[in-house]
Amino acid sequence: MPERRTVALVTLGCARNEVDSEELAGRLEADGWALVENAEDADVAVVNTCGFVEAAKKDSVDALLEANDLKGHGRTQAVVAVGCMAERYGKDLAEALPEADGVLGFDDYADISDRLQTILSGGIHAAHTPRDRRKLLPISPAERQAATDVALPGHGADTAPAPADLPEGVAPASGPRAPLRRRLDGSPVASVKLASGCDRRCSFCAIPSFRGSFISRRPGDVLNETRWLAGQGVKEVMLVSENNTSYGKDLGDIRLLETLLPELAEVDGIERVRVSYLQPAEMRPGLIDVLTSTPGVVPYFDLSFQHSAPAVLRAMRRFGDTDRFLELLDTIRSKAPEAGVRSNFIVGFPGESEEDLAELERFLNHARLDAIGVFGYSDEEGTEAAGYDGKLDEDVVAERLARVSRLAEELVSQRAEERVGETVRVLVESVDEEDGVYGRAAHQAPETDGQVRLTGAAGLRAGQFVEAKVVATEGVDLVAEPLGGAVPGASASPVGSAEATG
C-alpha cells in the first residue's frame, strides 16, 4: 500500500481562519491525506494566511518563507498559501512571492485535495485575479441564500453529499451537504462560524472586499455543528463572524440570534456559549437580555467601538460617541454586573486631533473594559480612508499608540483587580506539572482576554469546570483558588481523540 500523502496546516489570524483550517483538514483527510502537526513532517505545508493589516500580512509572508526554507532539508516538497491574504491578492501575491508553490483562493477550497496533488506533482495551478467578492452576491440580503454557486468557506453550499466511509474524527459537521470538519487539536473550546462577510462600509477596513457581503448560516446548520463538536469533547463554543449582530437579516429575522442562543446552550455536553464581534450600533435590548440572562450563554460583549470621538467615528463611517457607548455599558452591567467587555481601538486616524484623542481617553477611563486592543492607523489599500487628507506623521501615530497602549494596560490591570474576591467559573484548558493549571472565566475569550491561573488545584484535567475565588492578579490575568474542586457533573471528556495524527 503506498504511503499516504502528508499535509500540515499552519493557521494565522482570527478564529474564523481556524474554522476554515479545520474544514480544509476534513476535506483533505476524507480524500486520503494524513494530517501532521509540523510543517517539516509534511509533503505539503498549507499556510492559512491573514490579510487584515500590515503586521498580519507580514506574519503571513514570514510563515510562508519559513515553510519554504524546509524544502530540500526534509520531507517538505511544496508550500501553499490559502486564506484571506491569498484570496485578497491572488496572482499578485504569487508573482511577488515565488517561494509559494501555489496561491489558492476560497473558490479552490472545494477541490483542495486535487489542487495540492497537482502542485505536489510539479504542476501549476494558476492563481486567481483579485476581485471584489461583494459583487458575487445579490445586493438584497434576502436573495443571497439562493446564491449556491458562490464559495463560502464553512457554509457547505459547494459540497456534494458526504461519503459514507469517512475517517474517524471527520464529519459533515452541519448536515449531509455541509463541509467536512476535522478538529486540529484537543481543546475543550471550538469556534463555530455563524456567518460570513460584512455589509458595513467602515472607511478603514478592506475585509468586505475579500470576504464578501454578509450571509448567515442557517440555524439548523449551526446547531448540528455544535452537536458534533460536543461529541468531540468540546465544552465551550464561540460564535464567530465578521458581524454577529447582523445574523439573520438575510433569513428574514434580524432577531434570529436571540432565539438561536438558548437552543445552542441546551445542546447536551455544551456548557458555555460565547458570542464574539458585536457592533455597538446594532445592539438591541432583546439581544442584551438574552446575553445577560440565558443559562449557559456567558455575559460577554466583544464590542467593536474603534474610537469614541464623534468626528473620528464619522470619518470611519461609524456611529456613536463616548456618552452613548457608556450608556450601553451601563445597560449591560445593570443586567449582569460581572459581564466581560472587550474592544479594539484605532489611534492616529486621519484628521484625529488632540481633542479627539483626549475624548477616547475619557471613554477608556470610564468604560472599565476587561481587555483592550490598540492599533496605530496605517493605510489599507482599496479602502476609502487611504485617500483621506489629514494623514498624521508616522511618529505622531507611534507616539499616540504608545500613549494609549500604556493607558490601556493600566486600565485592564485595574479592572482585573476589581474582580479580586469574586467567584468565577473556570474552564480548565491546560494542566502542566511545571507551568501549572490554567483556564478561563466567563469574561475571558480564548487568546485575547487573559486567563486564570488556578493555585492549589490537584487532579484536574482539561475540559473540567471549576468554581474558584479570585485572590490576586497578574496584569490582566487572574489568580484563583478552587472552591471544592471540579463542578459536579462537569467532568472532562476524552478530547484527545480529536487530535490530528500523522
Side-chain angles (χ1 to χ4, degrees):
M1 183 175 179
E3 186 177 9
R4 294 173 70 190
R5 301 158 294 179
T6 57
V7 59
L9 287 149
V10 180
T11 306
L12 296 96
C14 64
R16 299 184 294 276
N17 259 15
E18 294 171 4
V19 175
D20 291 348
S21 284
E22 293 196 348
E23 176 188 341
L24 293 174
R27 292 179 184 272
L28 288 166
E29 191 166 50
D31 202 48
W33 292 75
L35 302 174
V36 296
E37 183 175 350
N38 299 315
E40 59 263 30
D41 299 323
D43 296 318
V44 183
V46 176
V47 179
N48 193 346
T49 61
C50 179
F52 179 39
V53 293
E54 285 304 318
K57 288 183 279 188
K58 181 181 183 303
D59 288 344
S60 295
V61 170
D62 289 346
L64 288 162
L65 294 175
E66 183 178 344
N68 180 71
D69 289 341
L70 298 172
K71 291 190 293 188
H73 301 285
R75 180 160 185 158
T76 308
Q77 302 172 50
V79 176
V80 174
V82 299
C84 289
M85 189 176 180
E87 174 61 41
R88 182 177 182 183
Y89 296 107
K91 68 179 183 64
D92 295 336
L93 177 62
E95 293 170 359
L97 196 70
E99 291 86 352
D101 299 285
V103 174
L104 306 181
F106 298 148
D107 293 333
D108 294 307
Y109 282 21
D111 301 308
I112 186 67
S113 180
D114 290 342
R115 299 286 187 266
L116 296 190
Q117 187 57 58
T118 295
I119 293 168
L120 193 59
S121 301
I124 297 175
H125 177 72
H128 65 282
T129 299
R131 56 180 173 169
D132 188 338
R133 293 191 72 86
R134 289 172 293 192
K135 298 178 180 179
L136 302 182
L137 290 167
I139 294 175
S140 169
E143 298 176 3
R144 292 173 189 166
Q145 292 288 328
T148 57
D149 58 336
V150 178
L152 299 168
H155 286 241
D158 59 358
T159 61
D165 55 344
L166 289 171
E168 183 180 355
V170 177
S174 310
R177 297 187 65 84
L180 302 177
R181 182 168 179 175
R182 172 69 150 92
R183 297 218 65 209
L184 291 173
D185 60 36
S187 170
V189 184
S191 295
V192 175
K193 189 172 287 188
L194 192 63
S196 292
C198 185
D199 286 343
R200 301 186 71 87
R201 294 296 179 262
C202 301
S203 63
F204 56 84
C205 183
I207 289 176
S209 66
F210 55 86
R211 276 289 185 179
S213 297
F214 183 89
I215 184 166
S216 305
R217 293 182 67 199
R218 294 193 173 273
D221 291 344
V222 178
L223 274 166
N224 285 336
E225 184 161 345
T226 300
R227 293 186 184 108
W228 177 78
L229 288 167
Q232 298 289 301
V234 170
K235 297 298 181 183
E236 175 181 330
V237 293
M238 184 168 73
L239 302 181
V240 299
S241 77
E242 281 74 20
N243 178 9
N244 283 327
T245 31
S246 284
Y247 180 68
K249 74 174 187 178
D250 53 322
L251 295 172
D253 186 0
I254 191 59
R255 295 176 176 83
L256 196 55
L257 185 56
E258 286 96 303
T259 58
L260 176 61
L261 284 171
E263 294 183 78
L264 292 171
E266 291 176 359
V267 171
D268 189 30
I270 298 299
E271 301 196 37
R272 182 182 281 174
V273 178
R274 184 182 306 276
V275 183
S276 69
Y277 211 83
L278 302 166
Q279 284 289 343
E282 296 181 33
M283 291 301 294
R284 46 197 180 267
L287 180 56
I288 294 173
D289 287 343
V290 170
L291 287 170
T292 54
S293 65
T294 306
V297 177
V298 294
Y300 175 79
F301 293 81
D302 177 11
L303 293 164
S304 174
F305 290 122
Q306 301 298 346
H307 212 283
S308 74
V312 176
L313 286 168
R314 302 305 176 267
M316 290 178 168
R317 297 207 178 277
R318 298 177 66 84
F319 306 94
D321 56 48
T322 295
D323 292 334
R324 275 192 276 182
F325 290 164
L326 291 176
E327 288 173 6
L328 172 61
L329 295 177
D330 286 343
T331 299
I332 290 168
R333 289 173 175 140
S334 70
K335 297 174 181 295
E338 77 286 3
V341 186
R342 82 166 321 275
S343 191
N344 292 327
F345 300 89
I346 298 173
V347 297
F349 195 78
E352 180 190 63
S353 66
E354 277 290 343
E355 291 76 13
D356 293 328
L357 191 66
E359 184 67 3
L360 173 58
E361 291 172 325
R362 180 171 82 89
F363 171 69
L364 292 174
N365 275 301
H366 288 85
R368 296 172 57 232
L369 302 179
D370 292 277
I372 300 171
V374 187
F375 300 87
Y377 173 82
S378 61
D379 285 339
E380 275 294 307
E381 57 190 285
T383 64
E384 182 181 356
Y388 280 180
D389 295 328
K391 299 284 177 61
L392 304 183
D393 291 340
E394 289 185 7
D395 58 342
V396 174
V397 175
E399 187 278 327
R400 293 184 179 184
L401 174 61
R403 168 177 155 186
V404 177
S405 295
R406 286 193 300 270
L407 175 62
E409 185 176 354
E410 178 183 346
L411 292 173
V412 296
S413 296
Q414 291 176 5
R415 177 64 182 131
E417 290 170 1
E418 291 179 19
R419 294 189 181 274
V420 173
E422 286 186 6
T423 297
V424 292
R425 190 167 186 252
V426 179
L427 172 57
V428 178
E429 293 186 306
S430 65
V431 179
D432 186 274
E433 290 185 3
E434 293 185 4
D435 295 334
V437 180
Y438 287 88
R440 286 178 301 101
H443 69 281
Q444 297 168 315
E447 307 295 335
T448 59
D449 299 347
Q451 57 188 350
V452 179
R453 178 167 64 87
L454 292 168
T455 63
L460 297 177
R461 292 184 295 161
Q464 286 182 298
F465 281 88
V466 177
E467 297 283 354
K469 181 179 180 180
V470 180
V471 296
T473 64
E474 297 172 344
V476 70
D477 298 329
L478 305 180
V479 180
E481 295 177 348
L483 301 174
V487 175
S491 59
S493 296
V495 294
S497 61
E499 293 180 350
T501 56

